[in-house]
Amino acid sequence: MAAAFWARCVSRMGLCRSVWSGGSRHYRAARCAALKQPLVMEEVVPRPVLPHEVRVDVHFCGVNFADILVCRGQYQERLHVPFTPGMEFSGTVLETGADVSTVKEGDRVIGVSAFSSMAEECVTDQKLLWKIPEGVPLQEAAVLPVSYGTAIMALEHRARTQPGETVLVTAAAGATGLAVIDVATNILQAKVIAAAGSDEKCKLAVQRGAQSSVNYSQGSLREAVRKLVGSGGVDVAIDTVGGDVFLEALHSLAWEGRIVVVGFAGGTIASVPANLLLLKNISAMGVYWGRYQDRNFPVFSQSLSSALQYCQEGRIQPHLGAVFKLEEVNDAFRHVVQRKSTGKVLLSLK
């Protein structure tokens, strides 16, 4: 149903004008004017920056499944229309508030925002910006925030993954899945079993560093994992799918294994069989990366600092799946909903 809806969305977007408080200069933004409807292009007037805020000239913006959910009114955080979606971006600093000391005009940065970055300009708090190191392109840096922030948080902070452990990752060819493979293999020296829904996606996951793969559209994930690792199971599972795939991954855990719930891209939230937790002494936990921004900011910030450092050192290789223009945002949404995407999907604002 979701795929059919976005398939009806046209990529040619209507143009209207919205007046915000500020000057006469306008910039373009993709706007959700009504839930469950195609986004539209608007010209908006920039608002003044507050003393602690920074205005960024956005070059690239990530397209995440959460953006699609929030535009349907199905995300855990509900926004009042109209609003501009977009959770992450890369760009250059245009203007800083009077109290800003962390960045200056012209700095290249990545940042996160509360659904406002699918626009040519974005205003955000200075603490939600990170300088991009020399040698890291803006496009590559734009892949990092949500996908790699989540992967690092799930693997390092929550699952406490150790060298030599075996990690099972579902939806392995997606943006977060490939980031998990990258971090687990190249940073944590773990062994990765990639689970995906097609042979092509499994092949990509292996090309990106997974030691083996399982196409769970062709049979039981649990049985396929058993054939690969035996009855012992895997040490860590990172699941972004939910439903039956989550349950199969849960049953694939070894003694004292850990499963981390990242999302429910399959659309179904499974119930955890608590007896399994008891019998195998396993742990089921979640990671809502964005919530750390409010609840534990040092951990949140470190996940992005680490991603940038790993990228600068050449230890990770972010995978870019597709780039759309801002006015093609509905096409980008449809590309994700129809499960055509592999790796990160970006909007280019330049």
Side-chain angles (χ1 to χ4, degrees), residues 40-64:
V40 297
M41 290 293 294
E42 292 184 358
E43 288 189 357
V44 296
V45 177
R47 68 169 177 83
V49 297
L50 299 176
H52 62 284
E53 291 181 329
V54 178
R55 190 187 316 280
V56 177
D57 181 19
V58 178
H59 286 232
F60 296 96
C61 174
V63 177
N64 294 283

Side-chain angles (χ1 to χ4, degrees), residues 114-127:
F115 294 106
S116 63
S117 58
M118 288 186 178
E120 292 177 324
E121 294 182 10
C122 178
V123 175
T124 192
D125 192 297
Q126 64 172 332
K127 73 177 185 178

Side-chain angles (χ1 to χ4, degrees), residues 72-99:
R72 295 176 184 162
Q74 296 174 344
Y75 194 59
Q76 50 258 44
E77 297 176 15
R78 301 295 180 93
L79 302 185
H80 296 290
V81 294
F83 63 86
T84 299
M87 303 169 61
E88 59 183 340
F89 59 89
S90 69
T92 56
V93 174
L94 285 174
E95 180 186 359
T96 59
D99 296 338

Side-chain angles (χ1 to χ4, degrees), residues 132-152:
I132 300 173
E134 291 295 327
V136 178
L138 280 164
Q139 181 172 274
E140 185 171 302
V143 178
L144 297 177
V146 173
S147 298
Y148 277 83
T150 299
I152 290 169

Side-chain angles (χ1 to χ4, degrees), residues 19 25 40 44 61-62 133 170 183 216-217 253 266 276 331-332:
V19 179
R25 180 175 61 84
V40 297
V44 296
C61 174
T170 65
V183 173
Y216 46 59
S217 70
L253 287 178
L276 187 61
D331 291 331

Side-chain angles (χ1 to χ4, degrees), residues 22 37 49 54 60 88 115 124 147-148 154 173 179-180 192 207-208 216 250 260 268 287-288 301:
Q37 296 299 318
V49 297
V54 178
F60 296 96
E88 59 183 340
F115 294 106
T124 192
S147 298
Y148 277 83
V180 168
V192 176
Q207 290 173 345
R208 302 299 298 180
Y216 46 59
L250 183 69
V260 184
T268 302
V287 59
Y288 180 2
S301 181

Side-chain angles (χ1 to χ4, degrees), residues 9 77 138 165 205 243 286 299 308 310 325:
C9 296
E77 297 176 15
L138 280 164
E165 289 191 317
V299 170
L308 285 166
Y310 297 155
K325 297 178 181 179

